[in-house]
Amino acid sequence: MTTAHDTLSSSLLGYRAPSDPKPSRRAWTVASSILVVASLLLLLVFGVIVTNDVDGPKKWLSEGETEVVESENGVVAADDGRCSAIGAEALRAGGHAVDAAVAVALCVGVVNPMSSGIGGGGFIVVRSAETAVAEAFDARETAPSAASQNMYANNPTAKEIGPLSMGVPGELLGLHLAWSKHGRLPWKSLFQPSIKLARDGFVVAPYLAQAIARSEQAMLADPGLHSVFTRDDKILKAGDTCSNPELARSLEAVSEEGPKAFYDGWVGEKLVEDVKAAGGVITKEDLKGYRVEVSKAMEVDVMGFKILGMPLPSSGTLGMSLVLNVLGSYGSPDAVKGSLGVHRLIEALKHMFAMRMNLGDSNFVNATSYERDMLSKSFAEKVQHKIFDNTTFDPGYYLTRWSQLRDHGTSHFCVVDADRNAVSMTTTVNYYFGARMLSPSTGIVLNNEMDDFSTPTEKTPISFPLHLQTSLSQTRDHCLQ
Ligand SMILES: *[C@@H]1O[C@H](CO)[C@@H](O)[C@H](O)[C@H]1NC(C)=O
Ligand SMILES: *[C@@H]1O[C@H](CO)[C@@H](O)[C@H](O)[C@H]1NC(C)=O
């Protein structure tokens, strides 16, 4: 068993002090360099260390810049440094990793509302140090009861944009369920930093500014988005201050009354009223009937490490296993170094993204043979043989059967506390700003998760939202690495 220092520093960022080489951990180094590269490609990660003399996170990292953190007391890595700091504060106050995760998720929903929020959903993996049990919370959105197979027949864009694209949000109930099992700090206290950010305002980071600019039309067209993300009819830019007082009020209600305020109280009622007024079909009963599904986390062995992650309908654990096995089949850590390493990673990801389109909710789709392939080393070798170091290919080379999901508007973060409890959460509103609509009376951005369902006219096989959750926790010999 390695020291806490060692395990914690390498668990999230693959950091290993150059002066302390450990050749026996070569496989891990390959895996961790892959994780680091993957996370850099997917998002800018701001890590915060939990110590008593913390400097706090750097303001923003620019593209390609990395920040390595290490700690004996815990780590929080979210895609906004302010949220990592809020999570670290919860750990410092004696919180469980789940307490920090609740605080981080709420914060991300406020400062990165294009990607996350209480109007969306998430996957949460919680690994308890005490019991060594890892649970998977599926808090993804579900279809409203009035949804039907042909509801978009006359207007296909309604599946992607506007009130009809909204699924029943699951984020708050998922967080609350995880907290009720593991949390140590008062629920209310975890909301305070985010309520303050939403009410008093926060500085628009370049990442949010970019998303606002890309969605400029929606910002000007939707009254709710307009009220939060524009000033004098101009969209907010990086460095401007953004506030969302209605969201602050909604969060305050949930902090005091629990998720009931949303699922069976005034916040939910107002949300439903706004959505109905705009032409949506979601009802109070849909909110009241929402349930989080809890199961055992999926366990796979890759390179001698146990990866814990979401089972289907998330494709993350299978996808991570396939990509790591493909890269591992090169047989040397050097294979993933430098620009050639990045090329191989990207090609492996392309094959994985194509492969995962065969998956779906196991209640509806029998994907057993694809699951088996994605876990198989010999299949990974076959995929590796399709990767050429001197070229890339047209999409048809990778995508032999299905059209690809366009995925963005999602955030991911990880927390490890001093006891080595770990949380890995993917949170989303689906596309940037989800349905491109914000409920004016609650400040909540609507997800557009209905776009993940296939309709009779489409070529995707998925009959339930399918999502990629990336890295979770790697364990070996039952200790967190
Ligand atoms: C799913 O497909 C596999 C073959 O790919 C088959 O062995 C299995 O019986 C099927 N399961 C169900 C529930 O149909
Ligand atoms: C690319 O590499 C493959 C196999 O390594 C080789 O067969 C092929 O000729 C190369 N193509 C070019 C354009 O160099």
Side-chain angles (χ1 to χ4, degrees):
M1 187 155 134
T2 44
T3 64
H5 169 91
D6 227 24
T7 49
L8 282 176
S9 63
S10 52
S11 66
L12 292 176
L13 292 157
Y15 177 74
R16 200 182 67 191
S19 58
D20 180 28
K22 288 191 182 65
S24 62
R25 298 174 72 198
R26 276 163 73 91
W28 165 242
T29 313
V30 182
S32 56
S33 14
I34 293 159
L35 291 181
V36 170
V37 177
S39 52
L40 285 176
L41 285 175
L42 294 172
L43 69 164
L44 293 176
V45 172
F46 291 80
V48 164
I49 49 178
V50 184
T51 63
N52 293 327
D53 51 14
V54 66
D55 303 331
K58 283 181 63 178
K59 204 158 174 221
W60 336 107
L61 294 184
S62 42
E63 221 166 309
E65 205 183 339
T66 61
E67 188 183 12
V68 174
V69 299
E70 57 180 303
S71 168
E72 296 180 17
N73 305 307
V75 181
V76 182
D79 63 3
D80 188 289
R82 291 166 291 192
C83 301
S84 299
I86 284 170
E89 202 47 57
L91 294 184
R92 256 182 234 113
H96 186 283
V98 168
D99 291 307
V102 172
V104 172
L106 295 169
C107 171
V108 174
V110 172
V111 302
N112 284 341
M114 66 292 199
S115 298
S116 166
I118 60 174
F123 286 137
I124 311 168
V125 178
V126 179
R127 191 255 184 193
S128 162
E130 199 185 332
T131 61
V133 170
E135 294 163 293
F137 296 79
D138 179 347
R140 291 304 304 283
E141 304 87 325
T142 53
S145 51
S148 68
Q149 219 185 20
N150 295 314
M151 67 192 281
Y152 305 112
N154 296 327
N155 183 6
T157 52
K159 183 159 160 283
E160 186 195 317
I161 300 176
L164 279 176
S165 66
M166 183 192 190
V168 184
E171 173 124 340
L172 271 176
L173 209 56
L175 290 171
H176 189 264
L177 188 58
W179 173 84
S180 60
K181 289 183 167 208
H182 301 281
R184 294 178 197 139
L185 300 180
W187 172 253
K188 190 175 170 181
S189 71
L190 305 172
F191 280 66
Q192 300 316 308
S194 299
I195 292 171
K196 190 167 169 0
L197 283 169
R199 179 181 295 134
D200 302 349
F202 59 91
V203 175
V204 173
Y207 178 34
L208 171 58
Q210 196 185 40
I212 293 174
R214 273 172 56 170
S215 315
E216 179 163 6
Q217 241 183 330
M219 298 294 139
L220 300 175
D222 177 71
L225 292 175
H226 188 274
S227 70
V228 175
F229 301 108
T230 69
R231 190 173 305 136
D232 302 329
D233 274 341
K234 296 219 169 57
I235 52 170
L236 296 182
K237 293 189 299 295
D240 288 345
T241 299
C242 176
S243 63
N244 188 344
E246 303 307 334
L247 180 62
R249 285 208 316 142
S250 300
L251 290 173
E252 189 150 48
V254 178
S255 79
E256 277 162 10
E257 298 160 42
K260 196 166 175 291
F262 184 91
Y263 291 95
D264 191 17
W266 75 258
V267 178
E269 260 169 52
K270 292 252 178 226
L271 177 67
V272 166
E273 274 170 29
D274 284 352
V275 176
K276 278 199 166 151
V281 293
I282 197 165
T283 62
K284 284 198 287 184
E285 286 66 38
D286 286 327
L287 291 178
K288 218 168 158 175
Y290 183 84
R291 294 290 174 269
V292 177
E293 285 190 30
V294 188
S295 59
K296 255 189 85 189
M298 187 173 186
E299 268 186 42
V300 298
D301 286 304
V302 186
M303 296 174 160
F305 288 87
K306 191 182 356 165
I307 296 186
L308 300 168
M310 286 301 297
L312 286 172
S314 165
S315 58
T317 316
L318 296 169
M320 176 67 78
S321 164
L322 177 61
V323 170
L324 290 177
N325 276 331
V326 168
L327 297 176
S329 71
Y330 285 97
S332 154
D334 293 339
V336 291
K337 282 193 182 147
S339 51
L340 180 58
V342 173
H343 167 79
R344 287 170 172 170
L345 170 66
I346 292 169
E347 293 298 293
L349 284 168
K350 286 188 203 168
H351 285 289
M352 182 275 283
F353 277 113
M355 187 72 193
R356 76 164 183 152
M357 296 306 296
N358 293 308
L359 302 171
D361 189 322
S362 49
N363 292 327
F364 301 92
V365 180
N366 182 357
T368 317
S369 63
Y370 299 110
E371 270 183 79
R372 205 166 41 222
D373 281 348
M374 291 181 81
L375 295 173
S376 140
K377 275 195 186 158
S378 58
F379 183 82
E381 267 169 42
K382 281 189 208 149
V383 172
Q384 191 233 298
H385 292 143
K386 292 176 81 177
I387 297 174
F388 285 80
D389 288 346
N390 54 9
T391 186
T392 63
F393 298 91
D394 291 334
Y397 180 75
Y398 314 89
L399 286 165
T400 47
R401 279 183 79 192
W402 311 109
S403 58
Q404 188 56 271
L405 282 176
R406 285 160 296 158
D407 255 349
H408 36 85
T410 299
S411 181
H412 184 90
F413 64 84
C414 301
V415 183
V416 181
D417 67 23
D419 300 327
R420 296 201 249 158
N421 297 301
V423 177
S424 169
M425 179 169 182
T426 298
T427 160
T428 190
V429 290
N430 206 23
Y431 283 21
Y432 270 165
F433 296 104
R436 269 75 110 210
M437 186 183 155
L438 182 144
S439 143
S441 60
T442 63
I444 295 170
V445 172
L446 274 52
N447 70 78
N448 71 334
E449 206 61 56
M450 294 301 285
D451 197 56
D452 266 13
F453 287 92
S454 46
T455 51
T457 50
E458 279 182 326
K459 249 184 96 190
T460 46
I462 297 156
S463 43
F464 202 81
L466 170 82
H467 253 264
L468 180 78
Q469 172 168 28
T470 46
S471 140
L472 326 142
S473 29
Q474 285 83 34
T475 65
R476 181 185 250 175
D477 304 332
H478 301 291
C479 79
L480 189 69
Q481 292 267 328

